[in-house]
Amino acid sequence: MVTNKTSLLAASAFFALTESILGFLLQTAPGEAVRILSYTSVVIACLFCTLFCERSKSYAFTQLGLICTVCADYFLVLAEKRQQLPAMLLFSVTQLAYFARLYFADGNKKRRTWHLICRGLASAIVILLTLLVLGDGADAVALVSMFYYVNLLTNIVFACLQRERSHVFVIGLLLFVCCDTLIGLSCLDAYLAIPEDSFIWSIIHPGFDLAWAFYVPSQTLLALSLLPERLKKCQ
């Protein structure tokens, strides 16, 4: 754990610069290099968070979320054959880890109770709707993906409701959902036909990797989300 304020700020600035460079390079690099640069950006975010290592729930659940993200992206980015189901299961654990961070950081007992109720209802409703809309086409990937997505949205809502909220954490989650919305739309044609002249088609085919343009900053900010709290404890 880094306890010197100057060192922590310098390390954070270097980390943010490194991620910015990787984010730019992965948009312009050829072929295989894109996969390596993309995955490297996620791994670096996970490793950077270890600078905040301490015996606290906020750190433990944030680090768990980043570790699960690294593992999930292996199946989507590095694996020879893209494996969506294990990836989405791991991403679901990521969002549950961020839920745990929010839940234990919330000092309002009534809001914590409502948090559990709303999350449970939202998860059940979205799974039911997925089954109703897709019918026989509702496979495990679709169900887990929708469970993951609604938990990400719920995290954003309750992260915003907390009085002592981390704005960095909130923005990181918002960028996360922007990325996943784009990816979800791009995968939608496996279940529903999307006309090439439609607005949705133009969003998911902008001429560059818009999803990763959101994703790299999201992981950067999630890794940095403990910084404001840690600076208060620094010498």
Side-chain angles (χ1 to χ4, degrees):
M1 179 179 72
V2 177
T3 57
N4 180 272
K5 185 175 183 178
T6 302
S7 298
L8 191 56
L9 287 172
S12 299
F14 181 74
F15 164 64
L17 177 62
T18 300
E19 291 287 63
S20 298
I21 293 171
L22 287 171
F24 172 77
L25 290 176
L26 69 85
Q27 295 288 349
T28 58
E32 185 68 18
V34 175
R35 295 171 62 196
I36 296 172
L37 290 168
S38 300
Y39 194 67
T40 298
S41 69
V42 180
V43 171
I44 290 176
C46 182
L47 292 175
F48 172 79
C49 191
T50 61
L51 294 181
F52 303 121
C53 182
E54 65 176 0
R55 296 184 66 178
S56 71
K57 291 183 175 67
S58 292
Y59 167 73
F61 290 123
T62 302
Q63 190 69 74
L64 175 60
L66 291 168
I67 290 171
C68 289
T69 298
V70 168
C71 296
D73 279 325
Y74 169 80
F75 292 105
L76 297 178
V77 179
L78 281 192
E80 291 186 11
K81 184 178 180 181
R82 186 182 175 93
Q83 301 178 56
Q84 285 185 284
L85 183 56
M88 295 316 301
L89 287 169
L90 285 162
F91 274 131
S92 295
V93 177
T94 293
Q95 294 310 318
L96 292 175
Y98 293 151
F99 150 61
R101 169 181 167 172
L102 290 167
Y103 181 82
F104 288 109
D106 194 346
N108 187 311
K109 185 176 180 180
K110 184 176 181 180
R111 185 166 53 228
R112 288 201 300 180
T113 300
W114 277 108
H115 190 165
L116 291 174
I117 294 172
C118 291
R119 187 175 296 272
L121 285 174
S123 298
I125 289 171
V126 77
I127 289 174
L128 178 60
L129 288 176
T130 303
L131 290 170
L132 290 174
V133 172
L134 297 182
D136 294 337
D139 56 13
V141 172
L143 293 171
V144 175
S145 296
M146 293 308 297
F147 171 83
Y148 154 77
Y149 191 73
V150 79
N151 274 273
L152 172 53
L153 291 176
T154 306
N155 283 340
I156 292 172
V157 170
F158 282 92
C160 292
L161 289 176
Q162 287 188 11
R163 174 179 292 183
E164 299 297 327
R165 59 183 172 272
S166 168
H167 294 87
V168 177
F169 188 59
V170 171
I171 296 171
L173 290 175
L174 285 169
L175 291 172
F176 209 147
V177 81
C178 288
C179 167
D180 286 331
T181 299
L182 286 166
I183 293 175
L185 290 173
S186 68
C187 294
L188 192 62
D189 58 3
Y191 304 95
L192 301 171
I194 302 177
E196 293 189 14
D197 59 350
S198 67
F199 177 66
I200 293 178
W201 181 273
S202 65
I203 291 177
I204 60 180
H205 298 90
F208 64 98
D209 199 331
L210 182 56
W212 276 87
F214 286 122
Y215 193 54
V216 174
S218 81
Q219 297 309 302
T220 303
L221 292 176
L222 290 171
L224 284 168
S225 64
L226 296 172
L227 178 62
E229 181 180 337
R230 180 51 52 80
L231 288 175
K232 297 176 182 177
K233 304 175 182 178
C234 281
Q235 300 172 0

